[in-house]
Amino acid sequence: MTSTERTDVLVVGSGFGGAIAAYHLAAGGARVVVLERGPWLTGNDFDHDFKLGSSYTRAFDFTVGDGMSVLGGNCVGGGSVVYFAAMPRAPRFVFERHGSIGRRMWPSAVSRDTLEPWYDRVEEAIPVTKQEWSDVSYAGGLWAAACDHAGRTANPLPSAIDNSKCANCNWMMAGCRFDAKRSLLFNYLPGALAHGAEVRPLHEVQHISRTDDGDYRVHYNVVDDEDYRIQAGSGTIDAKIIILAAGAGATPVILQRSEATLGTMPNAVGRYFSGNGERLNTAVLNEDKVREVLGLSRGDGLAYEANQIGKGPTVASWDRLDGSLPEYSRFSLEQLYFPPGLGTILAQVPGATGPSWFGVDKKELLKRWRSWLIIFQMTEDDNEGVFGPPPATGNADRISQQMLGVGRLRYNPTANTLRGWAEADAEVKDILERDGLAEVAAWTNDVVGAYTVHPLASCRVGDDPDTSALDDRNELRGHPGIFVTDGSAVPGALTVNPAMTIAALAERAIPGIVHAAQQRGVNVTYGAPSPDGATSGRQGAARLVPTLLHR
Amino acid sequence: MTPRIRDEDQVRTMTLEAFADTIVPGEKRSPDDRAVAGAAPGGGAVAAGALELLEWDATGLSSGLGEFARLLNGHAQVYAAEHELAPDESVPPFVALPFEHRTALVQRLTTPGHPEKEFWVSLALFSNMAFDSAAHLHTADALAAGHPGLIAMGIELPDPDGLWRFPAYSYGRQLARLHPDTTPSGSPA
Ligand SMILES: Cc1cc2nc3c(=O)[nH]c(=O)nc-3n(C[C@H](O)[C@H](O)[C@H](O)COP(=O)(O)OP(=O)(O)OC[C@H]3O[C@@H](n4cnc5c(N)ncnc54)[C@H](O)[C@@H]3O)c2cc1C
């Protein structure tokens, strides 16, 4: 005899979209199971080590596509464990963007103003704090000084880091050993567990089907905890409500694979993918000029040579986040750190005459690594990413035991996207090459295509059924009871780091999900406080809740 | 007289070494080193352990390495014929190419549109990783042992417990004007 496992709410993925939903549904009284394909790592599991098999590869996912590679988290807590914790809100104009569809991309119900209370909830829950200049790393300070020298402004980034614990080790991408990063492992996820939610690591969801009584059945494989290429079993769980939050590189793939059992998917599933217009530049600083032109000194005889030191991005220049500029000309320029391996191979030799990303000159560039400054551009792309037919399992054919796989995303940048990148490149050059401060080159797109750590929009909200897979409450069109709350729901590039907006949109989706669960007979209510019990965020959003219940 | 190539293993190793050396070039290990071209001072990808990394099955490339070497030598033969380079039967065809021709061939194989680009790029990625992150070794051990890549890049040593901490990390002062449209919580308006 086989017994079928049942729950009220099944959440796929434990990053921002998954953890926020799991917390609120569990706190409201629903039975919640979270399936997460990656391992469950905490504190001492986070290594300072580039060796394959350390947390740097265990918790990380790198999916190579055709024209676009996607980097993301692969662990309980998802991207929040490996991310850089820069948490700005998206500028007002972003919500008015038209992008490639000739009309507003965001649902009419969502604007910066209507999202503000949900941002506040996230800020309280995580918490996100404003940073002072004393929190800014050498690299961030250098970027600020260069911006200032070029007549630009620069801002310390709001962040989800507890600076009192931070060692500025720059190992954030391997998970934070010092518990300084306020990942979801410290707020929404423990909140969900305290209310009885179950989180199952190493469970990779493959597809969804229907049960005879009208519920959904989720089909998963169990993944080996060291070699992710090996499957260690499989199973199913039935649920009344499904919340997909596998990330914008994986959620649409699960839905595409489910088309055979669930029926036709909305046209926009697996289309309109955005890489958040992301692009990187590497500058190699002239240390003498840093001292002479910018007047910077570390006090130990060095002017800079501090690429290795810090906590990811700490300062951004927002001069081009100007809503009066034409679309595709607006972007932010953010100082960043990317560790060796991923952060070095794509860097090109400035002014290369021979090969730009390997060879003799590249080796010389690597020798000056301490004087590197990486600038991260977030521009407006054209939502041109499209997913091809899904691979056999997961969202990629895995190559390495961990981290590296080949997926089905195709991304062929349009003239608009290319123009935005070119303008951003020119701006970085103008700022950093002034007075011989540095030499700058963009990372190559010829090796693994463009690349993003900010996948978005592959299953997005909107008002127009042809160009959005979800209605304005994050429910999948034509498949009631399936909701998407991760980055794939965000309609397009944000020109800033996206996690704050992903999380706010997830918070906003919760009242509607609770309502749908109630309608299916689940005993659940909406209105949990912040995971630590704080209530001002809840109060601030209360007036908006009724507007999210109707359909 | 040059010694005859003994077996397939040796062909494969020399060919892959020559490829890795094209990605991050280094100095010859001995005067008669043929795989490493000696195009740059200091250790390159080979001295950094590229072969150890590639041969480790965790990369997912190890089972295909023989095929990579065979394909690469095939491409090298075609390339040498195109450029009318004098054959040297004592070493595998890719190893026989002078450094600038190895470089040109690798450029060709990794250029967008080449049907095998994906393979050559992954081989290049891991060759590079041997040098700049020593992904086959614990990082602290690699540094302690003087790993040529990590040392060349100037990576700092960790604390005695193997963890990195930088107590001095900031210039500690305001270095630019803030954007006028910044909200009280520090976001763009
Ligand atoms: C190196 C790096 C740095 C970043 N820095 C920042 C930053 O500073 N600020 C910022 O705003 N953003 C940053 N981001 C981006 C941010 O992490 C993501 O935007 C965010 O995590 C996306 O949230 P999500 O809910 O869409 O999905 P994720 O957080 O990616 O969570 C998805 C989860 O689903 C799991 N999953 C995938 N497929 C399946 C499946 N089939 N079954 C079960 N589980 C599955 C994944 O393992 C993952 O844990 C960074 C990202 C990276 C990679």
Side-chain angles (χ1 to χ4, degrees):
Chain A
M1 221 192 79
T2 56
S3 69
T4 306
E5 187 178 356
R6 286 175 190 282
T7 186
D8 295 329
V9 178
L10 189 292
V11 180
V12 184
S14 60
F16 287 94
I20 290 170
Y23 167 67
H24 283 288
L25 273 295
R31 290 178 301 162
V32 175
V33 174
V34 181
L35 299 182
E36 163 57 53
R37 76 175 164 186
W40 195 335
L41 308 177
T42 57
N44 285 346
D45 299 327
F46 298 125
D47 308 303
H48 287 188
D49 202 344
F50 294 126
K51 187 175 183 184
L52 303 185
S54 64
S55 64
Y56 184 46
T57 62
R58 286 174 82 193
F60 217 84
D61 193 61
F62 180 14
T63 304
V64 179
D66 177 1
M68 174 70 77
S69 296
V70 178
L71 285 76
N74 179 78
C75 57
V76 173
S80 82
V81 172
V82 301
Y83 86 147
F84 293 132
M87 291 290 268
R89 303 180 186 204
R92 181 167 298 272
F93 69 80
V94 153
F95 300 91
E96 310 306 320
R97 289 192 56 203
H98 284 199
S100 58
I101 60 173
R103 54 171 291 179
R104 202 170 177 272
M105 298 199 282
W106 285 79
S108 57
V110 186
S111 65
R112 170 73 183 255
D113 286 334
T114 60
L115 207 56
E116 213 77 84
W118 306 107
Y119 277 132
D120 291 342
R121 287 215 73 167
V122 177
E123 190 163 290
E124 177 178 72
I126 285 190
V128 176
T129 47
K130 195 178 161 207
Q131 300 295 294
E132 304 302 329
W133 287 97
S134 54
D135 304 318
V136 162
S137 65
Y138 292 122
L142 172 61
W143 174 234
C147 286
D148 189 61
H149 176 65
R152 306 323 199 262
T153 68
N155 284 43
L157 282 154
S159 117
I161 295 173
D162 177 348
N163 289 310
S164 69
K165 294 183 178 164
C166 178
N168 287 281
C169 68
N170 253 338
W171 279 98
M172 298 182 87
M173 275 172 68
C176 181
R177 175 63 163 249
F178 304 112
D179 289 350
K181 188 184 336 186
R182 293 168 176 146
S183 74
L184 297 164
L185 298 172
F186 294 94
N187 35 66
Y188 288 102
L189 283 172
L193 294 170
H195 288 285
E198 267 186 66
V199 179
R200 298 190 194 160
L202 300 167
H203 283 59
E204 185 176 62
V205 170
Q206 305 303 332
H207 75 279
I208 305 164
S209 61
R210 280 273 189 187
T211 64
D212 293 339
D213 50 8
D215 289 344
Y216 290 105
R217 178 164 295 168
V218 169
H219 302 251
Y220 63 82
N221 288 345
V222 180
V223 180
D224 182 84
D225 73 350
E226 186 184 346
D227 191 337
Y228 301 162
R229 296 169 294 201
I230 297 172
Q231 264 124 47
S234 61
T236 61
I237 303 181
D238 292 355
K240 295 186 184 308
I241 297 283
I242 307 292
I243 298 173
L244 284 174
T251 285
V253 183
I254 295 169
L255 288 175
Q256 287 176 314
R257 195 180 286 116
S258 304
E259 195 150 27
T261 41
L262 290 182
T264 311
M265 286 294 147
N267 176 58
V269 167
R271 290 195 173 82
Y272 302 108
F273 173 96
S274 163
N276 206 28
E278 195 171 310
R279 182 170 168 88
L280 290 123
N281 278 221
T282 294
V284 192
L285 274 298
N286 178 322
E287 295 284 336
D288 292 338
K289 298 284 183 185
V290 171
R291 191 188 324 270
E292 289 160 21
V293 176
L294 301 180
L296 294 179
S297 159
R298 284 170 51 179
D300 53 4
L302 298 175
Y304 172 57
E305 290 198 45
N307 182 31
Q308 192 180 342
I309 302 172
K311 38 186 172 275
T314 58
V315 167
S317 181
W318 290 332
D319 296 313
R320 292 291 291 258
L321 297 186
D322 174 351
S324 70
L325 293 171
E327 199 167 359
Y328 307 107
S329 292
R330 303 168 295 195
F331 48 80
S332 60
L333 302 175
E334 192 165 298
Q335 161 268 324
L336 187 68
Y337 171 79
F338 240 81
L342 299 174
T344 41
I345 181 74
L346 304 180
Q348 299 189 88
V349 176
T353 45
S356 62
W357 59 272
F358 69 90
V360 175
D361 296 342
K362 178 64 181 282
K363 186 180 181 188
E364 286 305 310
L365 186 71
L366 286 172
K367 287 188 189 164
R368 297 180 62 194
W369 182 76
R370 290 163 62 98
S371 295
W372 285 21
L373 174 68
I374 299 180
I375 303 299
F376 187 35
Q377 311 163 345
M378 286 161 275
T379 71
E380 297 170 289
D381 75 351
D382 233 347
N383 293 85
E384 52 268 72
V386 178
F387 285 83
T393 62
N395 64 325
D397 300 316
R398 288 197 172 274
I399 296 176
S400 302
Q401 73 173 18
Q402 297 161 4
M403 192 157 82
L404 185 62
V406 175
R408 299 292 183 272
L409 177 60
R410 285 193 314 275
Y411 189 94
N412 188 6
T414 66
N416 288 329
T417 301
L418 293 171
R419 192 184 84 213
W421 285 341
E423 286 186 20
D425 283 353
E427 190 74 357
V428 175
K429 245 187 179 353
D430 184 39
I431 294 168
L432 283 172
E433 292 195 342
R434 251 175 221 235
D435 298 319
L437 267 180
E439 290 175 284
V440 186
W443 287 19
T444 176
N445 282 354
D446 287 347
V447 176
V448 291
Y451 37 79
T452 185
V453 296
H454 297 162
L456 298 171
S458 50
C459 192
R460 61 186 182 171
V461 294
D463 290 332
D464 167 20
D466 282 340
T467 59
S468 62
L470 313 175
D471 66 17
D472 67 359
R473 304 171 326 147
N474 295 58
E475 193 164 22
L476 184 66
R477 296 179 190 282
H479 301 272
I482 299 182
F483 291 83
V484 175
T485 55
D486 60 14
S488 41
V490 171
L494 297 171
T495 67
V496 294
N497 319 67
M500 191 67 177
T501 303
I502 294 170
L505 201 60
E507 279 280 4
R508 180 185 175 277
I510 304 300
I513 299 175
V514 168
H515 186 66
Q518 288 167 340
Q519 286 184 326
R520 283 166 178 72
V522 178
N523 191 4
V524 58
T525 55
Y526 178 73
S530 216
D532 70 352
T535 53
S536 75
R538 178 175 66 185
Q539 257 164 30
R543 71 187 163 78
L544 289 172
V545 171
T547 65
L548 294 164
L549 300 182
H550 68 81
R551 31 190 330 174
Chain B
M1 223 192 75
T2 35
R4 271 183 47 80
I5 305 168
R6 269 181 298 274
D7 56 35
E8 233 178 272
D9 275 357
Q10 197 185 358
V11 170
R12 159 179 148 144
T13 300
M14 287 183 82
T15 307
L16 295 170
E17 283 180 346
F19 182 92
D21 181 62
T22 311
I23 302 303
V24 188
E27 63 198 18
K28 286 182 180 292
R29 293 161 287 185
S30 63
D32 59 354
D33 193 343
R34 293 295 306 273
V36 174
V46 175
L51 267 282
E52 283 156 83
L53 179 58
L54 289 168
E55 296 281 5
W56 184 11
D57 67 355
T59 60
L61 299 185
S62 53
S63 63
L65 292 178
E67 183 65 7
F68 277 129
R70 205 184 53 72
L71 279 169
L72 187 57
N73 283 320
H75 289 303
Q77 273 168 329
V78 172
Y79 181 97
E82 266 172 39
H83 290 79
E84 296 174 10
L85 302 175
D88 174 355
E89 312 256 303
S90 66
V91 291
F94 184 74
V95 179
L97 295 180
F99 183 76
E100 64 274 23
H101 289 292
R102 294 182 188 178
T103 301
L105 176 54
V106 170
Q107 265 184 303
R108 180 191 287 185
L109 297 177
T110 53
T111 292
H114 192 283
E116 295 163 10
K117 175 189 172 223
E118 202 184 289
F119 302 122
W120 304 115
V121 162
S122 48
L123 204 58
L125 285 177
F126 282 103
S127 302
N128 189 72
M129 267 163 72
F131 184 83
D132 75 6
S133 36
H136 54 304
L137 300 169
H138 290 298
T139 308
D141 296 348
L143 276 165
H147 181 272
L150 302 184
I151 298 292
M153 288 167 67
I155 293 186
E156 301 276 353
L157 297 176
D159 287 349
D161 64 356
L163 301 177
W164 277 260
R165 295 175 188 81
F166 295 103
Y169 62 89
S170 179
Y171 295 114
R173 59 193 163 97
Q174 176 157 4
L175 288 162
R177 288 169 302 123
L178 296 186
H179 193 280
D181 300 326
T182 305
T183 66
S185 67
S187 276

